[in-house]
Structures are given as C-alpha cells and as structure tokens.
Amino acid sequence: MKNLIYILLLAVLTITSCKNEPSKEEIALQKQIEAYDLLMTEAMEVHDQIMPKMGELMELKGELVASKEEAELSDDQLMKLDATAANLKVSHDGMMDWMVDYSEKFPYGEPSPETKADLDKKMPVLEQEVVEIKELRDHTMTAIANAKEILAN
C-alpha cells in the first residue's frame, strides 16, 4: 500500500512538473499575432467609418452638379464646384478600389498568420493598408465638409 502511494505521488509530481511553458519565441509570436489582429480590426473600424458616407458623397456630388446648372456662376465658382465634385468622386472611387485591393490581399474568413515568416510577409502589407484607409477617411471627411460649405453659400 505504501508503495502504491509513493508511485501515485511520484506520478502526480512528474505530471505537474512537466508543464510546457511557452518559449520566448512562442510568446513573441503570439504578441505579433495579437498585433496583427488588432491592425485588422483597426482597418475594418476605419472602413466602417467611411462606408456609410458613400451615399452622402454621391448625393453631394449630385447637388453640386445641379447647382452648377441652376445658377449663374463665375468661372471661379464653376471651377470650385468642379474641383469639389471631383474630390467627392476621388473619395468614392478610392473607397471602392481600396475594398477590392484589401479583399484580394486579405480574403474574408482567412485566418491570421500563424508563423513568423507569414507574419513578416503580411504585416507590412496590412500596415500599408491601414495607412491608406486612414488617408482615405481624412480625404473623404474633408471632401464632404468642403462640399457642404460650398453648397451652403
């Protein structure tokens, strides 16, 4: 009976002492995967800020075109209307292009990279996509504000 207790005690100690602690490399990889996932989330959050504005962009563009045809405007005013309408179109087209490009590089449902090599390959691409969508957001918000200002005058 004593031997059985010693054997069980030894087995329990052996099992508990063999826990596999993650290595420094595994911990670093997990942190990189988490950073990648956060960046993916950020890209989609910025996208979700801009996407609802696409309808407003096109409405404002239509209003600019209509106001151009309805009023007697100076050449300077016509140029401002045309430039503002062009900026709205650039924002709209930019969003459509970004979505196509992004979905080709990061297909929906694709899991996060699980190796350092895959992360090293995908992370710079994702970082660039986030920069692009943020620039597009800023351009879009400015184009909308400018169009509203012109239409208010």
Side-chain angles (χ1 to χ4, degrees):
M1 186 68 172
K2 256 186 178 179
N3 286 342
L4 183 60
I5 293 173
Y6 286 124
I7 291 173
L8 286 174
L9 184 59
L10 182 60
V12 168
L13 288 173
T14 303
I15 291 171
T16 59
S17 67
C18 291
K19 288 183 183 176
N20 288 335
E21 294 295 321
S23 68
K24 289 180 182 179
E25 291 82 17
E26 290 170 330
I27 292 170
L29 178 62
Q30 188 57 41
K31 286 183 180 182
Q32 281 182 304
I33 291 171
E34 289 170 7
Y36 178 91
D37 290 342
L38 284 172
L39 214 48
M40 289 288 283
T41 299
E42 184 177 4
M44 286 299 98
E45 286 173 352
V46 176
H47 164 275
D48 292 348
Q49 291 171 3
I50 303 171
M51 197 60 203
K53 302 290 184 188
M54 293 299 105
E56 184 178 8
L57 281 173
M58 299 319 295
E59 286 176 25
L60 288 168
K61 184 174 180 262
E63 289 177 35
L64 289 169
V65 170
S67 69
K68 181 178 164 181
E69 295 169 358
E70 293 172 0
E72 296 250 344
L73 301 170
S74 69
D75 287 343
D76 187 46
Q77 290 170 319
L78 287 172
M79 285 179 25
K80 281 183 182 178
L81 283 174
D82 287 340
T84 304
N87 272 333
L88 292 170
K89 183 173 179 358
V90 166
S91 289
H92 185 270
D93 293 349
M95 182 63 166
M96 298 304 120
D97 292 344
W98 183 87
M99 289 188 306
V100 168
D101 184 53
Y102 185 84
S103 66
E104 288 173 357
K105 293 174 182 172
F106 303 97
Y108 180 76
E110 179 181 75
S112 298
E114 294 181 358
T115 66
K116 180 160 177 27
D118 287 343
L119 276 166
D120 289 346
K121 182 179 173 184
K122 287 231 170 204
M123 186 64 99
V125 176
L126 180 56
E127 289 169 341
Q128 182 59 38
E129 291 296 319
V130 171
V131 167
E132 288 175 14
I133 194 68
K134 285 180 174 179
E135 288 173 352
L136 182 59
R137 175 196 57 201
D138 296 345
H139 184 271
T140 299
M141 299 308 176
T142 300
I144 288 172
N146 289 343
K148 286 180 177 180
E149 182 180 331
I150 286 175
L151 288 168
N153 294 331

Coordinates of all heavy atoms in Angstrom, one line a residue, residues 37-128:
D37 N -3.9 41.0 -35.5 CA -5.4 41.0 -35.3 C -5.9 42.4 -34.9 O -7.0 42.8 -35.4 CB -5.8 40.0 -34.3 CG -5.5 38.5 -34.7 OD1 -5.4 38.3 -35.9 OD2 -5.5 37.6 -33.8
L38 N -5.2 43.1 -34.1 CA -5.6 44.5 -33.8 C -5.6 45.4 -35.0 O -6.5 46.2 -35.2 CB -4.7 45.1 -32.6 CG -5.0 44.5 -31.2 CD1 -3.9 45.0 -30.3 CD2 -6.4 45.0 -30.8
L39 N -4.6 45.2 -35.8 CA -4.4 46.1 -37.0 C -5.6 45.7 -38.0 O -6.1 46.6 -38.6 CB -3.1 45.8 -37.6 CG -2.4 47.0 -38.3 CD1 -2.4 48.3 -37.5 CD2 -1.0 46.6 -38.7
M40 N -5.9 44.4 -38.1 CA -7.0 44.1 -38.9 C -8.3 44.7 -38.4 O -9.1 45.2 -39.2 CB -7.2 42.5 -38.9 CG -6.1 41.8 -39.7 SD -6.2 41.9 -41.4 CE -7.5 40.8 -41.8
T41 N -8.5 44.7 -37.1 CA -9.7 45.3 -36.5 C -9.7 46.8 -36.8 O -10.7 47.4 -37.2 CB -9.7 45.0 -35.0 OG1 -9.8 43.6 -34.8 CG2 -10.9 45.7 -34.4
E42 N -8.5 47.4 -36.7 CA -8.5 48.9 -36.9 C -8.8 49.2 -38.4 O -9.5 50.2 -38.7 CB -7.0 49.4 -36.6 CG -6.9 50.9 -36.8 CD -5.5 51.4 -36.4 OE1 -4.6 50.6 -36.0 OE2 -5.3 52.6 -36.4
A43 N -8.3 48.4 -39.3 CA -8.6 48.6 -40.7 C -10.1 48.6 -41.0 O -10.7 49.4 -41.6 CB -7.9 47.6 -41.6
M44 N -10.8 47.6 -40.4 CA -12.2 47.4 -40.5 C -13.0 48.5 -39.8 O -14.1 49.0 -40.3 CB -12.7 46.1 -40.1 CG -12.3 44.9 -41.0 SD -13.1 45.1 -42.6 CE -11.7 45.8 -43.6
E45 N -12.5 49.0 -38.7 CA -13.2 50.1 -38.0 C -13.2 51.4 -38.8 O -14.1 52.1 -38.9 CB -12.6 50.3 -36.6 CG -12.9 49.3 -35.6 CD -12.2 49.4 -34.3 OE1 -11.3 50.2 -34.2 OE2 -12.6 48.6 -33.4
V46 N -12.0 51.7 -39.4 CA -11.9 52.9 -40.3 C -12.8 52.7 -41.5 O -13.5 53.6 -41.9 CB -10.4 53.2 -40.6 CG1 -10.3 54.3 -41.6 CG2 -9.6 53.4 -39.4
H47 N -12.7 51.5 -42.1 CA -13.6 51.2 -43.2 C -15.1 51.5 -42.8 O -15.8 52.1 -43.6 CB -13.5 49.8 -43.7 CG -14.5 49.3 -44.5 ND1 -15.7 48.7 -44.0 CD2 -14.7 49.2 -45.9 CE1 -16.5 48.4 -45.0 NE2 -15.9 48.6 -46.1
D48 N -15.5 51.0 -41.7 CA -16.9 51.2 -41.2 C -17.2 52.6 -40.9 O -18.4 53.0 -40.9 CB -17.1 50.3 -40.0 CG -17.1 48.8 -40.3 OD1 -17.1 48.5 -41.5 OD2 -17.0 48.0 -39.4
Q49 N -16.2 53.5 -40.7 CA -16.5 54.9 -40.5 C -16.8 55.6 -41.9 O -17.6 56.5 -42.0 CB -15.3 55.6 -39.9 CG -15.0 55.3 -38.5 CD -13.7 55.8 -38.0 OE1 -13.0 56.5 -38.7 NE2 -13.3 55.5 -36.8
I50 N -16.1 55.1 -42.9 CA -16.2 55.7 -44.2 C -17.4 55.2 -45.0 O -18.1 55.9 -45.7 CB -14.9 55.5 -45.1 CG1 -13.7 56.0 -44.3 CG2 -15.0 56.2 -46.4 CD1 -12.4 55.7 -45.0
M51 N -17.6 53.9 -45.0 CA -18.6 53.3 -45.8 C -20.0 53.9 -45.8 O -20.5 54.1 -46.9 CB -18.7 51.8 -45.5 CG -19.3 51.0 -46.6 SD -18.4 51.1 -48.1 CE -19.7 50.7 -49.3
P52 N -20.5 54.3 -44.6 CA -21.8 54.9 -44.6 C -21.8 56.3 -45.3 O -22.8 56.8 -45.7 CB -22.1 55.1 -43.2 CG -21.2 54.2 -42.4 CD -20.0 54.0 -43.3
K53 N -20.6 56.9 -45.6 CA -20.5 58.2 -46.2 C -20.6 58.1 -47.7 O -20.7 59.1 -48.4 CB -19.2 58.9 -45.8 CG -19.0 59.0 -44.3 CD -20.0 60.1 -43.8 CE -19.7 60.3 -42.3 NZ -20.7 61.2 -41.7
M54 N -20.5 56.9 -48.3 CA -20.5 56.8 -49.7 C -21.8 57.3 -50.4 O -21.7 58.0 -51.4 CB -20.3 55.3 -50.2 CG -18.9 54.8 -49.8 SD -17.5 55.7 -50.6 CE -16.9 56.6 -49.2
G55 N -22.9 57.0 -49.8 CA -24.2 57.6 -50.3 C -24.2 59.1 -50.2 O -24.6 59.8 -51.2
E56 N -23.7 59.6 -49.1 CA -23.7 61.1 -48.9 C -22.8 61.7 -49.9 O -23.1 62.8 -50.5 CB -23.2 61.4 -47.5 CG -23.2 62.9 -47.2 CD -22.8 63.2 -45.7 OE1 -22.4 62.3 -45.0 OE2 -22.9 64.3 -45.3
L57 N -21.6 61.1 -50.2 CA -20.7 61.6 -51.2 C -21.4 61.8 -52.6 O -21.3 62.8 -53.2 CB -19.6 60.6 -51.5 CG -18.4 60.6 -50.5 CD1 -17.5 59.4 -50.8 CD2 -17.7 61.9 -50.5
M58 N -22.2 60.7 -53.0 CA -22.8 60.8 -54.3 C -24.0 61.8 -54.3 O -24.2 62.5 -55.3 CB -23.3 59.4 -54.7 CG -22.1 58.4 -54.8 SD -20.6 59.0 -55.6 CE -21.2 59.3 -57.3
E59 N -24.7 61.9 -53.2 CA -25.7 62.9 -53.1 C -25.2 64.3 -53.2 O -25.7 65.2 -53.9 CB -26.5 62.8 -51.8 CG -27.4 61.6 -51.7 CD -28.1 61.4 -50.3 OE1 -28.2 62.4 -49.6 OE2 -28.5 60.3 -50.0
L60 N -24.1 64.6 -52.5 CA -23.5 65.9 -52.5 C -22.9 66.2 -53.9 O -23.1 67.3 -54.4 CB -22.3 66.0 -51.5 CG -22.8 66.1 -50.1 CD1 -21.5 65.9 -49.1 CD2 -23.4 67.4 -49.8
K61 N -22.4 65.2 -54.6 CA -21.9 65.4 -55.9 C -23.1 65.8 -56.9 O -22.9 66.7 -57.7 CB -21.2 64.1 -56.4 CG -20.6 64.3 -57.8 CD -19.8 63.0 -58.2 CE -19.2 63.2 -59.5 NZ -19.9 62.6 -60.6
G62 N -24.2 65.1 -56.7 CA -25.4 65.4 -57.5 C -25.9 66.8 -57.2 O -26.3 67.5 -58.1
E63 N -25.8 67.2 -56.0 CA -26.3 68.6 -55.6 C -25.3 69.6 -56.2 O -25.8 70.7 -56.7 CB -26.3 68.8 -54.1 CG -27.4 68.0 -53.4 CD -27.4 68.1 -51.9 OE1 -27.0 69.2 -51.4 OE2 -27.8 67.2 -51.3
L64 N -24.0 69.3 -56.2 CA -23.1 70.3 -56.8 C -23.3 70.4 -58.3 O -23.3 71.5 -58.9 CB -21.6 69.8 -56.6 CG -21.1 69.9 -55.1 CD1 -19.8 69.2 -55.0 CD2 -21.0 71.4 -54.8
V65 N -23.5 69.3 -59.0 CA -23.8 69.3 -60.4 C -25.1 70.1 -60.7 O -25.1 70.9 -61.6 CB -23.9 67.9 -61.0 CG1 -24.4 67.9 -62.4 CG2 -22.5 67.2 -60.9
A66 N -26.1 69.9 -59.9 CA -27.4 70.5 -60.1 C -27.2 72.0 -59.8 O -27.8 72.9 -60.6 CB -28.4 70.0 -59.1
S67 N -26.5 72.4 -58.8 CA -26.3 73.8 -58.5 C -25.5 74.5 -59.6 O -25.7 75.7 -59.9 CB -25.7 74.1 -57.1 OG -24.3 73.6 -57.2
K68 N -24.6 73.8 -60.2 CA -23.8 74.3 -61.3 C -24.8 74.7 -62.5 O -24.5 75.7 -63.2 CB -22.8 73.3 -61.7 CG -21.9 73.7 -62.8 CD -20.9 72.5 -63.1 CE -20.2 72.7 -64.4 NZ -19.3 71.6 -64.7
E69 N -25.8 73.9 -62.7 CA -26.7 74.1 -63.9 C -27.8 75.1 -63.6 O -28.3 75.7 -64.5 CB -27.3 72.8 -64.3 CG -26.3 71.8 -64.8 CD -26.8 70.4 -64.9 OE1 -28.0 70.1 -64.6 OE2 -26.0 69.5 -65.4
E70 N -28.1 75.3 -62.3 CA -29.2 76.2 -61.9 C -28.9 77.6 -61.8 O -29.8 78.5 -61.8 CB -29.8 75.7 -60.6 CG -30.5 74.3 -60.7 CD -30.9 73.7 -59.4 OE1 -30.7 74.4 -58.3 OE2 -31.4 72.6 -59.4
A71 N -27.6 78.0 -61.5 CA -27.3 79.3 -61.1 C -26.3 79.9 -62.1 O -25.6 79.2 -62.8 CB -26.8 79.4 -59.7
E72 N -26.3 81.2 -62.2 CA -25.3 81.9 -63.0 C -24.1 82.0 -62.1 O -24.1 82.6 -61.0 CB -25.8 83.3 -63.3 CG -27.0 83.3 -64.2 CD -26.6 83.9 -65.6 OE1 -25.6 84.4 -65.8 OE2 -27.4 83.6 -66.5
L73 N -23.0 81.4 -62.5 CA -21.8 81.3 -61.7 C -20.6 81.9 -62.4 O -20.5 81.8 -63.7 CB -21.5 79.9 -61.2 CG -22.6 79.2 -60.4 CD1 -22.3 77.7 -60.3 CD2 -22.8 79.8 -59.1
S74 N -19.7 82.4 -61.7 CA -18.5 82.9 -62.3 C -17.6 81.7 -62.6 O -17.8 80.6 -62.2 CB -17.7 83.8 -61.3 OG -17.2 83.1 -60.2
D75 N -16.6 82.0 -63.4 CA -15.7 80.9 -63.8 C -15.0 80.3 -62.6 O -14.8 79.1 -62.5 CB -14.6 81.4 -64.8 CG -15.2 81.7 -66.2 OD1 -16.3 81.1 -66.5 OD2 -14.5 82.4 -67.0
D76 N -14.7 81.2 -61.6 CA -14.0 80.8 -60.4 C -15.0 79.9 -59.6 O -14.6 78.8 -59.1 CB -13.6 82.0 -59.5 CG -12.8 81.6 -58.3 OD1 -11.9 80.8 -58.4 OD2 -13.2 82.1 -57.2
Q77 N -16.2 80.2 -59.5 CA -17.2 79.4 -58.8 C -17.4 78.1 -59.5 O -17.5 77.0 -58.8 CB -18.6 80.2 -58.7 CG -18.5 81.3 -57.7 CD -19.8 82.2 -57.8 OE1 -20.3 82.4 -58.9 NE2 -20.2 82.6 -56.7
L78 N -17.4 78.1 -60.8 CA -17.6 76.8 -61.6 C -16.4 75.9 -61.3 O -16.5 74.7 -61.2 CB -17.7 77.1 -63.1 CG -19.1 77.7 -63.5 CD1 -19.0 78.1 -65.0 CD2 -20.2 76.7 -63.3
M79 N -15.2 76.5 -61.3 CA -14.0 75.7 -61.0 C -14.0 75.1 -59.6 O -13.7 73.9 -59.5 CB -12.7 76.6 -61.2 CG -12.4 76.8 -62.7 SD -11.0 77.8 -63.1 CE -9.9 77.7 -61.7
K80 N -14.5 75.9 -58.7 CA -14.6 75.3 -57.3 C -15.6 74.2 -57.2 O -15.4 73.2 -56.6 CB -15.0 76.4 -56.3 CG -13.9 77.3 -55.9 CD -14.4 78.3 -54.9 CE -13.2 79.3 -54.5 NZ -13.7 80.3 -53.5
L81 N -16.8 74.4 -57.9 CA -17.8 73.3 -57.9 C -17.2 72.0 -58.6 O -17.4 70.9 -58.1 CB -19.0 73.8 -58.7 CG -20.0 74.7 -57.9 CD1 -21.1 75.1 -58.9 CD2 -20.5 74.0 -56.7
D82 N -16.5 72.2 -59.7 CA -16.0 71.1 -60.4 C -14.9 70.4 -59.6 O -14.9 69.1 -59.5 CB -15.3 71.5 -61.8 CG -16.4 71.9 -62.8 OD1 -17.6 71.4 -62.6 OD2 -16.1 72.6 -63.8
A83 N -14.0 71.2 -58.9 CA -13.0 70.6 -58.1 C -13.6 69.8 -56.9 O -13.1 68.7 -56.6 CB -12.0 71.7 -57.7
T84 N -14.6 70.4 -56.3 CA -15.2 69.8 -55.2 C -15.9 68.5 -55.6 O -15.8 67.5 -54.9 CB -16.2 70.7 -54.5 OG1 -15.5 71.9 -54.1 CG2 -16.8 70.1 -53.2
A85 N -16.6 68.5 -56.7 CA -17.3 67.3 -57.2 C -16.2 66.2 -57.5 O -16.4 65.0 -57.3 CB -18.1 67.6 -58.4
A86 N -15.1 66.7 -58.1 CA -14.0 65.7 -58.4 C -13.4 65.1 -57.2 O -13.2 63.9 -57.1 CB -12.9 66.4 -59.2
N87 N -13.3 65.9 -56.1 CA -12.8 65.3 -54.8 C -13.8 64.3 -54.3 O -13.3 63.3 -53.7 CB -12.6 66.5 -53.8 CG -11.2 67.0 -53.9 OD1 -10.2 66.4 -54.4 ND2 -11.0 68.3 -53.5
L88 N -15.0 64.6 -54.4 CA -16.0 63.6 -53.9 C -15.9 62.3 -54.7 O -16.0 61.2 -54.1 CB -17.4 64.2 -54.0 CG -17.8 65.3 -53.1 CD1 -19.1 66.0 -53.5 CD2 -17.8 64.9 -51.6
K89 N -15.7 62.4 -56.0 CA -15.6 61.2 -56.9 C -14.3 60.5 -56.5 O -14.3 59.2 -56.4 CB -15.6 61.6 -58.3 CG -15.5 60.4 -59.3 CD -15.7 60.8 -60.7 CE -15.6 59.7 -61.7 NZ -15.4 58.4 -61.3
V90 N -13.2 61.2 -56.3 CA -12.0 60.6 -55.9 C -12.1 59.8 -54.6 O -11.7 58.6 -54.5 CB -10.8 61.6 -55.7 CG1 -9.6 61.0 -55.0 CG2 -10.4 62.2 -57.1
S91 N -12.9 60.3 -53.6 CA -13.1 59.6 -52.4 C -13.9 58.4 -52.6 O -13.6 57.3 -52.1 CB -13.8 60.5 -51.4 OG -12.9 61.5 -50.9
H92 N -15.0 58.5 -53.4 CA -15.8 57.3 -53.7 C -15.1 56.2 -54.4 O -15.1 55.1 -54.0 CB -17.1 57.8 -54.5 CG -18.0 56.7 -54.7 ND1 -18.0 55.8 -55.8 CD2 -19.1 56.3 -54.0 CE1 -18.9 55.0 -55.7 NE2 -19.7 55.2 -54.6
D93 N -14.4 56.6 -55.5 CA -13.6 55.6 -56.2 C -12.5 55.0 -55.4 O -12.2 53.8 -55.5 CB -13.0 56.3 -57.5 CG -14.1 56.7 -58.5 OD1 -15.3 56.3 -58.3 OD2 -13.8 57.4 -59.5
G94 N -11.9 55.9 -54.6 CA -10.8 55.4 -53.7 C -11.3 54.3 -52.7 O -10.6 53.3 -52.5
M95 N -12.5 54.5 -52.2 CA -13.1 53.5 -51.3 C -13.3 52.2 -52.1 O -13.0 51.1 -51.5 CB -14.3 54.1 -50.7 CG -15.0 53.1 -49.7 SD -13.8 52.8 -48.3 CE -15.0 52.0 -47.2
M96 N -13.9 52.3 -53.2 CA -14.2 51.1 -54.0 C -12.9 50.4 -54.3 O -12.8 49.1 -54.2 CB -15.0 51.4 -55.3 CG -16.3 52.1 -55.0 SD -17.4 51.1 -54.0 CE -17.7 52.3 -52.7
D97 N -11.9 51.1 -54.8 CA -10.6 50.5 -55.1 C -10.0 49.9 -53.9 O -9.4 48.8 -53.9 CB -9.7 51.5 -55.7 CG -10.1 52.0 -57.1 OD1 -11.0 51.4 -57.7 OD2 -9.6 53.1 -57.5
W98 N -10.0 50.6 -52.7 CA -9.4 50.0 -51.5 C -10.1 48.7 -51.1 O -9.4 47.8 -50.7 CB -9.5 51.1 -50.4 CG -8.8 50.6 -49.1 CD1 -7.5 50.7 -48.8 CD2 -9.4 49.8 -48.0 NE1 -7.2 50.1 -47.6 CE2 -8.4 49.5 -47.1 CE3 -10.7 49.3 -47.8 CZ2 -8.6 48.8 -45.9 CZ3 -10.9 48.6 -46.6 CH2 -9.9 48.4 -45.7
M99 N -11.4 48.7 -51.2 CA -12.1 47.5 -50.8 C -11.7 46.3 -51.7 O -11.5 45.2 -51.2 CB -13.6 47.7 -50.8 CG -14.1 48.6 -49.7 SD -15.9 48.7 -49.5 CE -16.4 49.1 -51.1
V100 N -11.6 46.5 -53.0 CA -11.2 45.4 -53.9 C -9.8 45.0 -53.5 O -9.5 43.8 -53.4 CB -11.3 45.8 -55.3 CG1 -10.6 44.9 -56.3 CG2 -12.8 46.0 -55.7
D101 N -8.9 45.9 -53.4 CA -7.5 45.6 -53.1 C -7.3 44.9 -51.8 O -6.6 43.9 -51.7 CB -6.7 46.9 -53.1 CG -5.2 46.7 -52.9 OD1 -4.6 45.9 -53.7 OD2 -4.6 47.4 -52.0
Y102 N -8.0 45.4 -50.8 CA -7.9 44.8 -49.4 C -8.5 43.4 -49.4 O -7.8 42.5 -48.9 CB -8.7 45.7 -48.4 CG -8.6 45.2 -47.0 CD1 -7.5 45.6 -46.2 CD2 -9.5 44.4 -46.4 CE1 -7.4 45.2 -44.9 CE2 -9.4 43.9 -45.1 CZ -8.4 44.4 -44.4 OH -8.2 43.9 -43.1
S103 N -9.6 43.2 -50.1 CA -10.2 41.8 -50.1 C -9.3 40.8 -50.9 O -9.4 39.6 -50.6 CB -11.6 41.8 -50.6 OG -11.6 42.2 -52.0
E104 N -8.6 41.3 -51.8 CA -7.6 40.4 -52.6 C -6.5 40.0 -51.7 O -6.0 38.9 -51.7 CB -7.1 41.0 -53.9 CG -8.2 41.1 -54.9 CD -7.8 41.9 -56.2 OE1 -6.6 42.5 -56.2 OE2 -8.6 42.0 -57.1
K105 N -6.0 41.0 -50.9 CA -4.8 40.7 -50.1 C -5.2 40.0 -48.8 O -4.4 39.2 -48.2 CB -4.1 42.0 -49.7 CG -3.5 42.7 -50.9 CD -2.9 44.1 -50.5 CE -2.4 44.7 -51.8 NZ -2.0 46.1 -51.5
F106 N -6.4 40.2 -48.3 CA -6.9 39.7 -47.0 C -8.3 39.1 -47.2 O -9.2 39.8 -46.8 CB -6.8 40.7 -45.9 CG -5.5 41.3 -45.7 CD1 -5.1 42.5 -46.3 CD2 -4.5 40.7 -45.0 CE1 -3.9 43.1 -46.2 CE2 -3.2 41.2 -44.8 CZ -2.9 42.4 -45.4
P107 N -8.4 38.0 -47.9 CA -9.8 37.5 -48.2 C -10.6 37.2 -46.9 O -10.0 36.9 -45.8 CB -9.5 36.1 -48.8 CG -8.1 36.2 -49.3 CD -7.4 37.1 -48.4
Y108 N -11.9 37.5 -47.0 CA -12.8 37.3 -45.9 C -12.7 35.9 -45.3 O -12.7 34.9 -46.1 CB -14.2 37.6 -46.3 CG -15.2 37.5 -45.2 CD1 -15.3 38.5 -44.2 CD2 -16.0 36.4 -45.1 CE1 -16.2 38.3 -43.2 CE2 -16.9 36.2 -44.0 CZ -17.0 37.2 -43.1 OH -17.9 37.1 -42.0
G109 N -12.6 35.8 -44.0 CA -12.5 34.5 -43.3 C -11.1 33.9 -43.3 O -11.0 32.8 -42.7
E110 N -10.2 34.5 -43.9 CA -8.8 34.0 -43.9 C -8.3 34.1 -42.4 O -8.3 35.2 -41.9 CB -7.9 34.7 -44.9 CG -6.5 34.3 -44.9 CD -5.6 35.1 -45.8 OE1 -5.3 36.2 -45.5 OE2 -5.3 34.5 -46.9
P111 N -7.7 33.0 -41.9 CA -7.2 33.1 -40.5 C -5.9 34.0 -40.5 O -5.3 34.2 -41.5 CB -6.9 31.7 -40.2 CG -6.7 31.0 -41.5 CD -7.6 31.7 -42.5
S112 N -5.7 34.4 -39.3 CA -4.4 35.2 -39.0 C -3.2 34.3 -39.3 O -3.3 33.1 -39.1 CB -4.4 35.7 -37.6 OG -5.4 36.5 -37.3
P113 N -2.1 34.9 -39.8 CA -0.9 34.1 -40.0 C -0.5 33.4 -38.7 O -0.7 34.0 -37.6 CB 0.1 35.1 -40.4 CG -0.6 36.3 -40.9 CD -1.9 36.3 -40.1
E114 N 0.1 32.2 -38.7 CA 0.5 31.5 -37.5 C 2.0 31.3 -37.4 O 2.4 30.8 -36.4 CB -0.3 30.2 -37.5 CG -1.8 30.4 -37.3 CD -2.5 29.0 -37.3 OE1 -1.8 28.0 -37.4 OE2 -3.7 29.1 -37.1
T115 N 2.7 31.7 -38.4 CA 4.2 31.6 -38.4 C 4.8 32.9 -38.5 O 4.2 33.9 -39.0 CB 4.7 30.7 -39.5 OG1 4.5 31.3 -40.7 CG2 4.0 29.3 -39.5
K116 N 6.0 33.0 -38.0 CA 6.8 34.3 -38.1 C 7.0 34.7 -39.5 O 6.9 35.8 -39.9 CB 8.1 34.1 -37.3 CG 8.9 35.4 -37.4 CD 10.0 35.5 -36.3 CE 10.8 36.7 -36.4 NZ 10.3 37.9 -36.9
A117 N 7.3 33.7 -40.4 CA 7.5 34.0 -41.8 C 6.3 34.6 -42.4 O 6.3 35.6 -43.2 CB 7.9 32.7 -42.5
D118 N 5.1 34.0 -42.1 CA 3.9 34.5 -42.7 C 3.6 35.9 -42.1 O 3.1 36.8 -42.9 CB 2.7 33.6 -42.4 CG 2.7 32.3 -43.2 OD1 3.4 32.3 -44.3 OD2 2.0 31.4 -42.9
L119 N 3.8 36.1 -40.9 CA 3.6 37.4 -40.3 C 4.5 38.5 -40.9 O 4.1 39.6 -41.2 CB 3.8 37.4 -38.7 CG 2.6 36.9 -38.0 CD1 2.9 36.6 -36.5 CD2 1.5 38.0 -37.9
D120 N 5.8 38.1 -41.0 CA 6.7 39.0 -41.6 C 6.3 39.4 -43.0 O 6.6 40.5 -43.5 CB 8.1 38.4 -41.6 CG 8.7 38.3 -40.2 OD1 8.2 39.0 -39.3 OD2 9.7 37.6 -40.0
K121 N 5.7 38.5 -43.7 CA 5.2 38.8 -45.1 C 4.0 39.7 -45.1 O 3.9 40.6 -45.9 CB 5.0 37.5 -45.8 CG 4.6 37.6 -47.2 CD 4.4 36.2 -47.8 CE 3.8 36.2 -49.2 NZ 3.5 34.9 -49.7
K122 N 3.0 39.4 -44.2 CA 1.7 40.0 -44.3 C 1.6 41.3 -43.5 O 0.9 42.2 -43.8 CB 0.6 39.1 -43.8 CG 0.3 38.0 -44.7 CD -1.2 37.9 -44.9 CE -1.5 37.0 -46.0 NZ -2.8 37.3 -46.6
M123 N 2.4 41.4 -42.4 CA 2.3 42.6 -41.5 C 2.6 43.9 -42.3 O 1.8 44.9 -42.1 CB 3.1 42.4 -40.3 CG 2.9 43.6 -39.3 SD 1.3 43.6 -38.6 CE 1.5 42.7 -37.1
P124 N 3.7 44.0 -43.0 CA 3.9 45.3 -43.7 C 2.8 45.7 -44.7 O 2.5 46.8 -44.9 CB 5.2 45.1 -44.5 CG 5.9 43.9 -43.8 CD 4.8 43.1 -43.2
V125 N 2.2 44.7 -45.3 CA 1.1 44.9 -46.3 C -0.1 45.4 -45.5 O -0.7 46.4 -46.0 CB 0.8 43.6 -47.1 CG1 -0.4 43.8 -48.0 CG2 2.0 43.1 -47.8
L126 N -0.4 44.8 -44.4 CA -1.5 45.3 -43.6 C -1.3 46.7 -43.1 O -2.2 47.5 -43.1 CB -1.8 44.3 -42.4 CG -2.9 44.6 -41.5 CD1 -4.2 44.8 -42.3 CD2 -3.0 43.5 -40.4
E127 N -0.1 46.9 -42.6 CA 0.2 48.3 -42.1 C 0.0 49.3 -43.2 O -0.5 50.4 -42.9 CB 1.7 48.3 -41.6 CG 1.9 47.6 -40.3 CD 3.3 47.4 -39.9 OE1 4.2 47.5 -40.8 OE2 3.6 47.1 -38.7
Q128 N 0.4 49.0 -44.4 CA 0.2 50.0 -45.5 C -1.3 50.1 -45.8 O -1.7 51.2 -46.1 CB 0.9 49.5 -46.8 CG 0.8 50.4 -48.0 CD 1.4 51.8 -47.7 OE1 2.4 52.0 -47.0 NE2 0.7 52.8 -48.2

